[in-house]
Amino acid sequence: MILGLLTRCKYVRLFKMNKENLKKVGLKTTLPRLKILQLLEDNKNNHLSAEQIQRTLANDNQDIGLATVYRVLGQFEKAGLVIRHKFDEESFVYELDRGNHHDHMICVKCNVVVEFVDQNIEDRQKEIASQHGFIITEHKLNIFGFCNKCK
Amino acid sequence: MILGLLTRCKYVRLFKMNKENLKKVGLKTTLPRLKILQLLEDNKNNHLSAEQIQRTLANDNQDIGLATVYRVLGQFEKAGLVIRHKFDEESFVYELDRGNHHDHMICVKCNVVVEFVDQNIEDRQKEIASQHGFIITEHKLNIFGFCNKCK
DNA sequence: GTCCGTGCAAAGGATTTGCATAATC
DNA sequence: GATTATGCAAATCCTTTGCACGGAC
């Protein structure tokens, strides 16, 4: 009961927040946008593809056209709400942009994603870049392997 | 004259080597394969896409179908002769596999690619992986930015 | 009521594949 | 001569786009 209440409270708050977030970036409050945003919040550890998002929402009785999913994700990316990655060579995956840069370690079997930051690695990259006269705009470090469960 | 002779010698040697390399991996010696292999040797610092390879060879009066370029590159990759990368989200680029692992720094303007290895970074990755119980199978570190000339 | 969002179907671009012809060994 | 390569066109996959309708403000 209490848990249910807390959970409900949490979602009411989340819903309001998301509504405001959308307004802030100039996007109208629509069900597809709210649902996709919420799904990304709930899946902090999974990086989802457009198709996964569509399927998941369909299972939750929210049928949203794939084109809409792509469009919404594109708008979110432009607005700085989400980040788009391409880990494998299949399709893009999306995660909420919480403003904290990090790199990724991906299980090649179950696709679980671990985020990490290592100041040492960050610093070495800057040194290497400056040695070659490069000005870094971005970097991507992806480690692939077998996670604890899959190895 | 002497230079011409040396150059010719170099190519004769290269040609023989490539012929043997192809035989070694069970591929027949054909002009498309030899030309593509040679082009990749000559472009040690550029990572070429299938289309660039086709265009370059066409300019050299070697018209090869794009499908063949893709097929040959695929066979080369399977045979361990080349490595395939996806730096931007446009198309794959290919480089000869010389067996020396390295990471890449790519100019976002002129697309020049600098290869580098940093033992420090390599070591930190292993530590991070083991902290999370991961067994690394592969990693990709790409640094993007402006090179010395383009900045 | 205006403007923006959605769904559907069609287009798009890079890569792959099927099939008949042509080359290698 | 048998087997493997090639070229062309068609197919494929994920993603984007055009257009008519419906919903937000």
Side-chain angles (χ1 to χ4, degrees):
Chain A
M1 291 302 112
I2 292 177
L3 184 63
L5 200 64
L6 286 176
T7 306
R8 186 134 47 89
C9 281
K10 182 188 149 199
Y11 279 110
V12 169
R13 213 172 50 235
L14 188 59
F15 182 82
K16 279 193 189 163
M17 264 185 51
N18 284 343
K19 234 177 131 167
E20 283 165 22
N21 282 341
L22 287 177
K23 214 168 274 183
K24 212 178 295 172
V25 298
L27 294 172
K28 286 183 179 168
T29 309
T30 66
L31 209 52
R33 286 176 181 156
L34 285 170
K35 285 287 170 185
I36 292 173
L37 209 44
Q38 186 177 319
L39 182 57
L40 288 170
E41 311 239 15
D42 292 347
N43 279 268
K44 294 190 200 254
N45 296 317
N46 283 359
H47 293 59
L48 303 172
S49 70
E51 222 184 308
Q52 284 177 310
I53 289 172
Q54 190 199 32
R55 266 206 311 274
T56 308
L57 294 178
N59 290 341
D60 200 25
N61 282 321
Q62 290 294 333
D63 286 297
I64 300 177
L66 192 52
T68 300
V69 177
Y70 275 112
R71 251 182 312 228
V72 167
L73 289 169
Q75 294 160 335
F76 285 2
E77 194 194 11
K78 228 181 252 176
L81 295 176
V82 310
I83 307 179
R84 188 168 85 150
H85 299 286
K86 194 153 205 157
F87 293 145
D88 57 38
E89 280 143 4
E90 304 304 299
S91 49
F92 291 104
V93 293
Y94 301 81
E95 70 168 318
L96 238 57
D97 186 353
R98 296 185 173 77
N100 61 330
H101 161 74
H102 53 258
D103 293 311
H104 298 90
M105 188 153 51
I106 304 112
C107 178
V108 294
K109 200 168 170 199
C110 72
N111 289 320
V112 71
V113 177
V114 173
E115 304 178 350
F116 68 89
V117 196
D118 186 85
Q119 200 50 49
N120 210 312
I121 292 180
E122 303 286 323
D123 292 342
R124 286 298 302 146
Q125 289 183 55
K126 283 177 200 154
E127 284 174 42
I128 293 162
S130 89
Q131 277 168 24
H132 291 85
F134 262 74
I135 296 173
I136 298 182
T137 55
E138 192 190 5
H139 77 257
K140 288 177 193 160
L141 170 55
N142 295 323
I143 301 178
F144 299 92
F146 292 98
C147 75
N148 217 353
K149 287 179 192 161
C150 294
K151 70 189 177 190
Chain B
M1 291 301 110
I2 290 174
L3 184 63
L5 201 65
L6 286 175
T7 307
R8 186 133 47 88
C9 281
K10 183 187 149 201
Y11 279 109
V12 169
R13 212 171 55 236
L14 189 59
F15 182 83
K16 277 194 191 160
M17 266 184 51
N18 284 343
K19 234 177 130 166
E20 282 164 23
N21 282 341
L22 287 176
K23 214 169 277 182
K24 211 178 294 171
V25 298
L27 295 171
K28 287 183 180 168
T29 308
T30 65
L31 209 52
R33 287 176 181 154
L34 285 171
K35 284 288 170 184
I36 292 172
L37 209 44
Q38 185 177 320
L39 182 56
L40 288 169
E41 310 239 15
D42 292 346
N43 278 268
K44 294 191 200 251
N45 296 316
N46 284 359
H47 293 59
L48 302 172
S49 69
E51 223 184 308
Q52 285 177 309
I53 289 172
Q54 190 199 32
R55 266 206 311 275
T56 308
L57 293 179
N59 289 340
D60 200 24
N61 283 319
Q62 291 293 333
D63 286 296
I64 300 178
L66 194 51
T68 301
V69 177
Y70 276 111
R71 252 181 313 225
V72 167
L73 288 169
Q75 294 160 336
F76 284 1
E77 194 194 11
K78 228 180 251 174
L81 294 177
V82 310
I83 307 178
R84 188 170 86 150
H85 299 286
K86 193 152 205 158
F87 294 144
D88 57 39
E89 278 145 6
E90 303 305 299
S91 49
F92 291 104
V93 292
Y94 301 81
E95 68 169 320
L96 237 59
D97 187 352
R98 296 185 172 77
N100 60 331
H101 162 73
H102 53 258
D103 293 311
H104 297 90
M105 187 153 50
I106 304 110
C107 178
V108 295
K109 200 168 170 199
C110 73
N111 289 320
V112 71
V113 177
V114 173
E115 305 178 349
F116 68 89
V117 196
D118 186 87
Q119 200 50 48
N120 210 311
I121 292 180
E122 303 286 323
D123 292 342
R124 287 297 303 146
Q125 290 183 54
K126 283 178 199 152
E127 284 175 40
I128 292 162
S130 89
Q131 278 169 22
H132 291 84
F134 262 75
I135 295 174
I136 299 182
T137 55
E138 191 190 7
H139 77 258
K140 287 177 193 159
L141 169 56
N142 295 325
I143 301 178
F144 299 91
F146 293 98
C147 76
N148 217 353
K149 286 180 193 162
C150 293
K151 70 189 177 190

